[in-house]
Amino acid sequence: MNRSFTERVYDIVAKIPKGGVLTYKQVAKLAGSPGAFRAVGSAMRNNPDKAKIPCHRVVGSDGGMHGYAFGGESVKIKILKEEGVKFKGEKVDFE
DNA sequence: CATTTGACAGGAA
DNA sequence: CTTCCTGCCAAAT
């Protein structure tokens, strides 16, 4: 398991089901460091493989986004809607 | 080893 | 509701 925290994050994000969204905090927690949500964002920004890392399924604590490395936040929201995620204004609607 | 940075979170004003 | 500050963690330089 020579996997860095970031590697683990990629694995977790890649496992997010379609129509589902996890917060940076959740991903960080699942990755083993419940306080490393910042490192999670850094990993997403690196995004070594967008085809396997749906970073658009990772949102902030308020269900909003802070950026998207492949088109912009607007596109990110659009993709999530296409995935079947409900939106509340410009933020993901949890439930 | 020390410093800087970042797609964050939470609280205060 | 918006803006600023602080705290936390990991990777990069």
Side-chain angles (χ1 to χ4, degrees):
Chain A
M1 302 157 39
N2 295 324
R3 289 182 175 149
S4 298
F5 175 81
T6 310
E7 296 273 320
R8 224 171 327 171
V9 172
Y10 297 146
D11 188 55
I12 294 167
V13 175
K15 285 172 181 136
I16 301 177
K18 182 182 177 197
V21 289
L22 286 178
T23 66
Y24 290 99
K25 216 189 282 192
Q26 286 294 312
V27 175
K29 184 173 185 171
L30 293 171
S33 298
F37 36 76
R38 286 200 160 202
V40 175
S42 297
M44 298 289 112
R45 189 180 177 261
N46 275 286
N47 207 356
D49 198 326
K50 63 174 173 51
K52 297 188 185 310
I53 302 174
C55 23
H56 60 262
R57 286 185 188 152
V58 185
V59 299
S61 57
D62 57 343
M65 58 260 336
H66 296 270
Y68 186 53
F70 298 101
E73 303 172 2
S74 308
V75 176
K76 180 169 176 178
I77 297 171
K78 191 176 200 163
I79 296 171
L80 286 171
K81 285 185 178 179
E82 295 295 294
E83 293 277 303
V85 179
K86 289 182 178 178
F87 263 75
K88 188 173 293 183
E90 311 207 301
K91 295 182 178 162
V92 179
D93 180 26
F94 295 98
E95 284 306 282

